[in-house]
Amino acid sequence: MPARTITRIIALGAVAALSMTACAKSGDTGSGGSGSKDLVISTDLPLQGSSATQSDDTNKLIQLYLDQVGGKAGDYNITLKPYDDSTAAKGAWDDAACAKNAVDHVANTAEVAVMGTFNSGCAKIEVPTLNNDSTGPMLMVSHANTNVGLTKKWDTGEPDKYYPTGTRNYARVVTTDDYQGQAAATFAADDLKVKKAFVLNDNQTYGLGVAKSFATSAKAAGIEVVGEQSWDAKQPNYTALFQAVKASGADLVYLGGIYDNNGGQLIKDKVAVLGDNSKVRLFAPDGFTGYDDLLKLPQAAGMNLTFAGLTQDQLTKAGGASVKLLDAFKAKYGKVPQGSYPLYGVAATQVILAAIAKSDGTRKSVTEQVLGGEGITIPQAESVTGKEIKIDPTTGDTTAKDITVEIVKDNEETFVKAETVQ
């Protein structure tokens, strides 16, 4: 979402809370599972715009996984319900849609946990409402949120302001932007031999965070940061912006943000003004991964990307649970899932199902299995990532800190190297 003050985020949460209260008065709110043997888990993803294909593939892959495990979590019968947090008008995730979804999650009587969101800004809107659920808190496990402040001290009031009850209800299976920015800066300095970087951001929660992390880490790695600026997603072109970058003498441009925010035009204008990506390097985080439209751009060739995790090819090399699942997907849909996040969507679902299996079927109990006691661990042999998934019950963060560096080559995201950040 475009950068907003803390007051704006709190206001959205207040509106959602009031709506939730209204639902309670009308008799629509649920009892958080009530120990029923028939439970619902949901996904909360942008199903319209540039992210639509990757999100749709995530839903399909999760459903295939549920089919493979017989729709069961311990003694409970599990049904999947997808939610859309985007709008056609925006073509991307939308703050009002996220606020409404949070209320709807709480109001759905059988729903006990949410897999999502894809965008960190959306999570920051939804988590406080789920946290305030009188039958919960209600659990959210994300496969793609990388903004640091959701779980660790970052911006003012973070992360405590997202947990008004004082009890955490949010976890994730990918690492955070402080590590992603660090890995990108290290690669830029050591492998690309960059001397001067100009850092751009899309003025949204995720973009601001990852740009900040890259800039800080770049300076520590000996790269001079010669400029930092936001780009406006509504601008028809960025020629003037890149003229300023050119004047700075930068030999790398970092795009902190998401492709949905006019990333295609940004890439085109970068190359038009500064030359191809072998001359002045172009680098972006995982907000630019998994987009067919980006890969079709001739101007994207040679662009480096980072991804907070491991790619599908890396995850399947060792065999295991992911291979059976992806084979089933290819057999049914005639292709592999787009992007690397769909498998992490299943990984997040594995955490949710393990929590349900250990619980008494109520929202409160499901959340307590992940954010309490020993937390949840998915053994390597069962994990669709091919690696142990361990959630720290005190923070909700995963212990796996894998970052992949890619390059756009022949209209594909091509693996360069993987880094495990300590």
Side-chain angles (χ1 to χ4, degrees):
M1 93 188 140
R4 287 169 168 82
T5 61
I6 295 171
T7 303
R8 170 64 172 155
I9 294 176
I10 293 172
L12 281 167
V15 169
L18 286 171
S19 299
M20 188 171 66
T21 302
C23 288
K25 290 180 179 178
S26 67
D28 290 334
T29 45
S31 53
S34 299
S36 169
K37 294 299 181 183
D38 298 312
L39 302 177
V40 172
I41 63 172
S42 64
T43 59
D44 197 304
L45 304 170
L47 299 175
Q48 302 174 82
S50 301
S51 299
T53 301
Q54 184 168 201
S55 295
D56 185 53
D57 285 353
T58 301
N59 283 336
K60 289 174 178 175
L61 198 64
I62 291 173
Q63 185 59 61
L64 276 176
Y65 179 76
L66 285 173
D67 293 343
Q68 287 184 351
V69 299
K72 301 284 286 187
D75 294 331
Y76 299 99
N77 304 310
I78 306 299
T79 301
L80 179 67
K81 178 177 174 58
Y83 289 72
D84 183 6
D85 57 39
S86 63
T87 63
K90 190 173 179 181
W93 75 277
D94 178 76
D95 51 354
C98 294
K100 180 181 184 302
N101 281 2
V103 173
D104 290 346
H105 288 308
V106 173
N108 187 346
T109 50
E111 189 176 332
V112 293
V114 183
M115 198 305 293
T117 59
F118 183 73
N119 300 99
S120 297
C122 186
K124 289 185 175 184
I125 293 170
E126 293 199 25
V127 170
T129 298
L130 303 183
N131 190 264
N132 260 327
D133 171 23
S134 61
T135 66
M138 189 175 188
L139 176 68
M140 174 179 280
V141 182
S142 176
H143 64 316
N145 294 160
T146 53
N147 183 267
V148 184
L150 281 160
T151 53
K152 296 181 280 189
K153 290 186 182 299
W154 192 241
D155 287 334
T156 303
E158 291 182 335
D160 293 345
K161 66 182 179 181
Y162 306 119
Y163 309 102
T165 66
T167 299
R168 294 207 182 193
N169 61 308
Y170 172 88
R172 50 184 157 197
V173 295
V174 291
T175 195
T176 48
D177 286 332
D178 45 352
Y179 297 114
Q180 184 171 195
Q182 178 186 337
T186 299
F187 183 82
D190 295 347
D191 295 69
L192 301 181
K193 308 302 181 184
V194 167
K195 302 300 181 184
K196 297 181 178 181
F198 201 107
V199 182
L200 300 175
N201 70 78
D202 64 0
N203 215 20
Q204 289 193 352
T205 297
Y206 161 76
L208 288 163
V210 73
K212 171 184 172 182
S213 175
F214 176 82
T216 301
S217 298
K219 293 171 187 175
I223 297 173
E224 181 184 357
V225 176
V226 293
E228 296 182 66
Q229 191 170 328
S230 298
W231 81 81
D232 181 354
K234 296 180 181 179
Q235 289 298 309
N237 70 77
Y238 302 97
T239 302
L241 172 60
F242 285 112
Q243 290 291 356
V245 175
K246 186 174 184 178
S248 74
D251 54 354
L252 178 143
V253 178
Y254 187 81
L255 307 179
I258 59 176
Y259 180 74
D260 309 71
N261 285 331
N262 211 12
Q265 189 64 47
L266 200 68
I267 293 169
K268 291 177 185 177
D269 290 339
K270 180 271 171 191
V271 172
V273 176
L274 300 175
D276 69 39
N277 300 318
S278 67
K279 296 174 182 176
V280 175
R281 298 286 186 171
L282 186 60
F283 214 141
D286 58 321
F288 278 72
T289 63
Y291 292 95
D292 277 343
D293 288 347
L294 181 152
L295 298 175
K296 291 174 183 175
L297 291 175
Q299 296 90 343
M303 177 181 185
N304 285 110
L305 303 164
T306 52
F307 167 69
L310 300 172
T311 65
Q312 283 184 170
D313 288 344
Q314 292 171 275
L315 294 176
T316 57
K317 275 183 180 178
S322 63
V323 175
K324 178 183 176 183
L325 183 58
L326 291 177
D327 284 347
F329 190 95
K330 284 185 283 188
K332 185 166 185 177
Y333 298 107
K335 63 164 194 164
V336 295
Q338 181 172 308
S340 295
Y341 278 121
L343 267 178
Y344 281 91
V346 178
T349 302
Q350 287 186 305
V351 171
I352 290 171
L353 295 180
I356 291 172
K358 292 172 61 178
S359 76
D360 64 10
T362 62
R363 290 172 180 170
K364 182 176 184 293
S365 179
V366 171
T367 300
E368 286 174 343
Q369 308 313 310
V370 181
L371 282 308
E374 297 180 354
I376 292 293
T377 298
I378 308 298
Q380 180 179 359
E382 299 173 18
S383 168
V384 293
T385 69
K387 301 180 71 172
E388 179 185 77
I389 301 171
K390 186 175 181 63
I391 304 298
D392 183 342
T394 62
T395 65
D397 279 324
T398 178
T399 55
K401 298 180 179 65
D402 297 310
I403 303 291
T404 295
V405 179
E406 302 176 314
I407 190 168
V408 178
K409 183 179 179 181
D410 298 327
N411 305 113
E412 292 183 354
E413 292 179 25
T414 303
F415 173 78
V416 176
K417 67 188 298 185
E419 299 182 16
T420 299
V421 181
Q422 301 300 325

